[in-house]
Each structure stands twice: as structure tokens, then as C-alpha cells.
Amino acid sequence: MHSKADTRWVWIAPLLVTLGLQMAAAYILRVVPTLAPALAQELGWGEGTAGFLASIGMVGSIVFLLIGSPLTRRFGPVRASQIGLLISAAGAVMLSWPTAAVAVLASFFIGFGYGPSTPAGTDILHRYTPAARRNLVFSIKQAGVPIGGVLAGMVLPVALVQGGWPAVLGAVLLPTLIVVLATQALRGQVDAGRDIAQAVGLRTFLALDNIRTPLLALARSPELLKLSFAGVWLSIGHGCWVAFLVSFAVIRMGYSLEMGGVIFAIMQLTGIFGRIVLGALADRANSVAVLRANTVASAVTTLALVFAAPDWPLAALVVVVGIAGVTVSSWNGVQVAEISRRAPAGLVAEATAGATLLIFAGYVFGPICFSLVLSFSGRFDVAFALVALATLLALWNLRGLDR
């Protein structure tokens, strides 16, 4: 029999599991943007390579969110996340064949494997986390995204330069296997409620009712739709920063690939702090007010890159990038927690999948549009100015949600 104190802290182990799975998924997802300049050179593509391949990855995530719910129900959220990690790692292995068709397919698999991370993690934490701590706990879990980004930025470019693709593959596969094995310890407890009668064949995945489930869960509440579309505009800004920051540092600012990785890691590092701070603020204040303030700050930070030039001192760029880790990339934990709070009873995972699906659409179209602007104009400043304007549109969707 558990004591009251034991019950109070029962959420910590599930949080550590979801944090580890989220961190590993994000680490693999960042393979493409952190190595984008090298991939572009190998493939013979232009400056928009990062945005195009990142968008293909998000298409893969969207496909999982549309069809993957039966997998989570049948095997449980921990096992679904573990399967996703192995699929993503297989996609990363495929990148070692430097052909355009394989790079596109590899990016799709990396994104498809990333798909379970948010809805599965949300389902776990919603069941175990006290309501009073929900924003903070969800934000800590989402901090796994920038933690994975820090590791990717610091490890992968150096691995490629020092040891080529074999070193990159080792740097991806080893931590993936470690996380899969480490999270297995809690799988039996967390996945105990899985539906072993749930069919998981191709017919089930492609059934119209299955594909519609995430969006129908959102459609039950206009508030959920407004929150989700606010996330679309915020994800456009975040997606463009993540996809193009290393390319911007190398091509526009003139730094090496290794230094570009360090700059990318700085943004991810401050994002860890930012997500936890915003989550704590949202637990003590109004979540929607926090999201509004963050929207304005995100747009202002993006505008700073419009004026960045090669004669800027490194310290100035580091300051802007560090601020961006808080303002551009730290909103998601608060938003996911608020969607979880407002979701229909029994449909938390489905509503989160629907919201994440829409957010990932922003991660697809943002970098694609950025790539197009960059291809036609050759100017990062014009592209970032448009990103800042798009970010501000989130304020329209956040109207009337204070309660």
C-alpha cells in the first residue's frame, strides 16, 4: 500500500520515461537541419535543402498522426514511442546514401518515427500528473526537444567532420538503443491499459474513421481549434529557425559547420530553460496570457535576424539565438498542457494528435515557403521578416480563450 507521499510523487517516473523518449526522438529529428549544409553539398542542391527535407520529415509525422492511433492503443504509448524511435533511426541510416530520392524517403521515415512522441507522451502524463503541476510537467517533458537539439548540434556536425557518415550513424544508433532499453523498465506499468484486441493491419490504419478521429476530437471544441491554429502560426516561426539556423550561420554569417552546430545548440540549450520557466509561469498565471506574450516576443526576436550581417560580432548573434531559445521555441509545453486540460474526457491522446497534426502542418509549410523565398530572392532577411509577420497571426486565434 502506497503512502500519501508516494502517491504525490508517482508522476516522476513516467515523466522521466517521456522525457527520455522525447529527447531521443528530437535528437534524430535534428539530424537533417544540423547537417544541412553538408547534405546540400553531397546532393548538389541549393540553400533551401534544409527547409525541403525538414518539411518532408514533418509530412511523415503528419501521416503517423493521421493513421497511427491504433498502434498506440494496441501496444501502449511507451511501446509506440519505442517503435517510432527505431523507425527514425532507420531513416537516419538511409541518409548515408547521398542520393536525392533516398534523402527524401529517409527524411519521411525520420519524421514518421517522430510522430508518436507528443500524443503518446501527453497520454502518459495526463494520467499521472496532478492538475496543479500540469503546465510545468508538460513543459519539462517538452524540454526533451531542445535537449535533443543541444546534443544534435554539439555531436553530429563534429562526428561528420571527424569521422564521416559512419561516425554519424554510430552517434545516432547508440543513444537510440540505450533509450529504448532504459524505458523498457516502466513499459509494463504505463502500457498496462493497452487494448490487446485492437487490430493494427493496413486496413485499420487506412480506415476513414481512424483517419478522421484526431480531427473529430478537435472539432468537438471551438476552443481546441483556436488553440491549435495559434500553434500553427507559432510553429511556422519555430520550424524556420530550426530548419535554417545552421544554414544561416554558415551561408549568411560565414561560420564553419562546427560553429553552426554550436550556435544551433545554444538556441536549444536556452530552450530547455525557457520551456520550464514558461510552464511554471503558466501554472501560476493564465496560460493563454503567457502564450500571447510569448507570441509577441517570438516575432520581435525573429525580426532581429533581419538585421544580422557578417560583420556582427559572434557575441551579438549568440545573444539573439539564446533569446530565441526562450521566445521562439518554448511555447509548446504550455500549449499542449492547455489542450490536454480542455480535451473531451477519454480523448486526450486523440485531441493532442489532432492539435499536433495541425501544428506539424506549420512545420511543413513554414520551411517550404522560407525555401521558396530564399530560392527566388536569395535573401534571408526577407524570409525572416515574413516569418515574424506570420508569427503574430497567432494573436488572432488566442482571442477569447481566457478562462
Side-chain angles (χ1 to χ4, degrees), residues 50-269:
F52 178 70
L53 292 180
S55 296
I56 294 297
M58 288 299 98
V59 169
S61 295
I62 288 172
V63 170
F64 179 87
L65 292 169
L66 281 171
I67 71 173
S69 293
L71 185 73
T72 305
R73 288 194 293 266
R74 171 64 179 83
F75 296 106
V78 172
R79 177 66 84 230
S81 298
Q82 291 170 331
I83 292 170
L85 282 181
L86 295 175
I87 292 172
S88 288
V93 170
M94 292 172 63
L95 284 174
S96 60
W97 284 273
T99 64
V102 173
V104 169
L105 190 59
S107 298
F108 179 88
F109 280 128
I110 290 172
F112 187 87
Y114 185 80
S117 60
T118 298
T122 301
D123 176 60
I124 294 169
L125 295 181
H126 184 79
R127 285 189 274 134
Y128 285 93
T129 306
R133 288 194 174 98
R134 191 161 290 158
N135 279 292
L136 177 59
V137 170
F138 274 67
S139 294
I140 291 172
K141 178 260 183 186
Q142 287 302 115
V145 176
I147 293 172
V150 169
L151 295 172
M154 297 299 292
V155 171
L156 297 178
V158 174
L160 183 62
V161 171
Q162 297 297 326
W165 279 105
V168 172
L169 298 183
V172 169
L173 294 176
L174 181 60
T176 298
L177 293 175
I178 290 173
V179 170
V180 168
L181 293 174
T183 54
Q184 184 63 23
L186 210 64
R187 193 254 169 169
Q189 173 190 332
V190 176
D191 288 354
R194 63 190 183 275
D195 181 4
I196 59 174
Q198 170 67 58
V200 290
L202 187 62
R203 181 178 298 179
T204 302
F205 290 135
L206 299 181
L208 183 59
D209 285 346
N210 178 54
I211 294 172
R212 292 188 305 176
T213 296
L215 294 177
L216 288 176
L218 280 186
R220 293 191 179 193
S221 169
E223 294 178 346
L224 288 177
L225 282 174
K226 292 174 74 173
L227 273 169
S228 300
F229 277 107
V232 171
W233 301 115
L234 291 168
S235 68
I236 286 173
H238 186 207
C240 290
W241 272 80
V242 168
F244 287 98
L245 182 56
V246 174
S247 296
F248 176 79
V250 173
I251 297 168
R252 170 64 175 153
M253 304 299 284
Y255 293 108
S256 67
L257 180 62
E258 295 98 319
M259 181 55 70
V262 171
I263 290 169
F264 182 89
I266 289 169
M267 178 182 175
Q268 305 303 306
L269 187 63

Side-chain angles (χ1 to χ4, degrees), residues 32 38 105 202 286 294 330 366:
V32 169
L105 190 59
L202 187 62
N286 183 301
N294 187 79
S330 295

Side-chain angles (χ1 to χ4, degrees), residues 351-363:
T352 306
T356 306
L357 191 156
L358 293 179
I359 290 166
F360 282 2
Y363 284 120

Side-chain angles (χ1 to χ4, degrees), residues 315-329:
L317 181 60
V318 166
V319 168
V320 172
V321 168
I323 293 171
V326 178
T327 60
V328 175
S329 64

